Amino acid sequence: MPTAPLPAVRAAAAASGPTVAIDIGGTKIAGALVHPDGTMTATTRRPTPRGVDADGVMAAVAEVVAELAESPLWGSAVRCGIGSAGPVDASRGTVSPVNIGAWREFPVQERIVAELAAHGADLPTVLAGDGVAMTAAEHWLGAARGRANALCMVVSTGVGGGLILNNQLHPGPTGNAGHIGHISVAFDGEPCVCGGHGCVESIASGTAIARWALEQGWSPPAAADGGGRDATAAGVAAAAAAGDPIALAAFDRAGRALAAAIAATATLVETDIAVIGGGVAAAGDTLFAPIRSHLAAYATLSFVKDVQVVPAMLGTHAGLIGAAAAALMLPSPSPSLSSS
């Protein structure tokens, strides 16, 4: 049964000012002041720089912080949350995003703490991976609200996720717990970019769905913008909705992999809901129907057979809301991290 939202989070949010939220991804760097009720002000964004060094990427982050600092509410901010594409190492405050090649073990938390201080804000700061941030967002204000135990997933170019256990965000020692994309669901599966075999990501990510469909002879439809053919997962989803058998098989295969991983996670830690967001989830029932169908064959034990699978609610806002929610739910690091 659903439970009330985490009391400590409600109390912290209600008794405080806004949270400075920074969302760092491969295509954009965004910022906002997120208020105790989840509303956002002073929202800003920059494209993630390409062809620059580590400091060049950080310069865009610094611009976002500087613009947020112009808000009349800046002085009332009480904490900062950073959500970043991963891998992350929250224990060290570093990130090595796959899609930001200039950053490898980049000390993003230390650098953002310095930028905040330069604008007069000495704030406790928390770093979370994007999957963990999305999980915090959906538990605070989205589809996992009121659930004591939940798995939240991002199915996009890759597959990531995070866990809520006993009403607590559970990122693990380095911030990577719940990274469901690298659970192996195919013993003899193809190699994954992580070095493993048969990982969920190698079957169910948008990239994997499109690749497999093309390998099976699928012919991509014309792109909606008239710029050639749409050989992406969105193109496969459109073809599946129109009844293309290869496209349908590609989503059925992805749905089966996701169902196996959801069932394994639910069996291990007794989550009772799986929330799925990300670009591939925009396919709707084309993705969710096969997940639910296959889940019945994997989640058979009495304590997992009723696990629910639902779409995420927060969409494009999940990154910023999640960065703020993670800052509410997680302890800030020891002073040595921020000053190292």
Side-chain angles (χ1 to χ4, degrees):
M1 294 290 293
T3 63
L6 182 62
V9 174
R10 292 204 315 273
S16 67
T19 299
V20 177
I22 309 291
D23 178 26
I24 300 170
T27 59
K28 59 95 172 60
I29 296 166
L33 297 181
V34 179
H35 298 273
D37 61 355
T39 58
M40 297 189 296
T41 58
T43 306
T44 183
R45 61 186 291 165
R46 298 284 189 281
T48 303
R50 299 291 181 185
V52 298
D53 62 10
D55 285 337
V57 179
M58 185 61 209
V61 179
E63 289 177 4
V64 166
V65 173
E67 188 165 335
L68 292 178
E70 295 175 0
S71 167
L73 297 175
W74 176 257
S76 62
V78 294
R79 66 184 67 81
C80 175
I82 307 162
S84 176
V88 305
D89 187 340
S91 67
R92 299 173 57 226
T94 62
V95 297
S96 302
V98 172
N99 47 13
I100 305 179
W103 278 6
R104 288 297 173 264
E105 298 187 5
F106 184 75
V108 68
Q109 186 166 346
E110 178 184 341
R111 295 289 295 271
I112 288 179
V113 166
E115 290 296 329
L116 295 170
H119 293 280
D122 184 12
L123 302 178
T125 301
V126 166
L127 170 66
D130 51 6
V132 171
M134 175 265 193
T135 299
E138 291 292 333
H139 186 251
W140 183 23
L141 297 172
R145 183 181 175 90
R147 299 290 188 140
N149 301 287
L151 165 68
C152 297
M153 305 171 61
V154 180
V155 184
S156 186
T157 305
V159 177
L163 292 167
I164 298 291
L165 300 179
N166 195 27
N167 262 324
Q168 300 285 339
L169 186 63
H170 182 74
T174 66
N176 292 287
H179 202 335
I180 195 169
H182 296 289
I183 290 178
S184 178
V185 292
F187 182 73
D188 295 319
E190 64 184 81
C192 178
V193 292
C194 75
H197 289 266
C199 292
V200 176
E201 184 171 300
S202 69
I203 299 171
S205 70
T207 305
I209 290 170
R211 183 181 65 246
W212 187 86
L214 290 166
E215 289 172 350
Q216 304 309 306
W218 171 64
S219 180
D225 61 4
R229 296 194 171 274
D230 186 0
T232 67
V236 181
D244 183 286
I246 295 176
L248 285 166
F251 270 90
D252 185 76
R253 180 173 179 265
R256 184 178 181 185
L258 291 166
I262 291 167
T265 303
T267 302
L268 186 65
V269 294
E270 291 198 57
T271 54
D272 56 14
I273 189 170
V275 177
I276 303 179
V280 177
D285 281 347
T286 299
L287 177 68
F288 284 90
I291 293 174
R292 291 170 179 145
S293 175
H294 286 294
L295 190 59
Y298 288 107
T300 57
L301 293 170
S302 61
F303 61 93
V304 295
K305 65 183 180 64
D306 294 326
V307 63
Q308 294 179 272
V309 178
V310 300
M313 292 176 58
L314 298 177
T316 57
H317 299 302
L320 287 169
I321 292 175
L328 284 165
M329 298 179 77
L330 297 173
S332 57
S334 62
S336 61
L337 176 60
S338 298
S339 62
S340 60

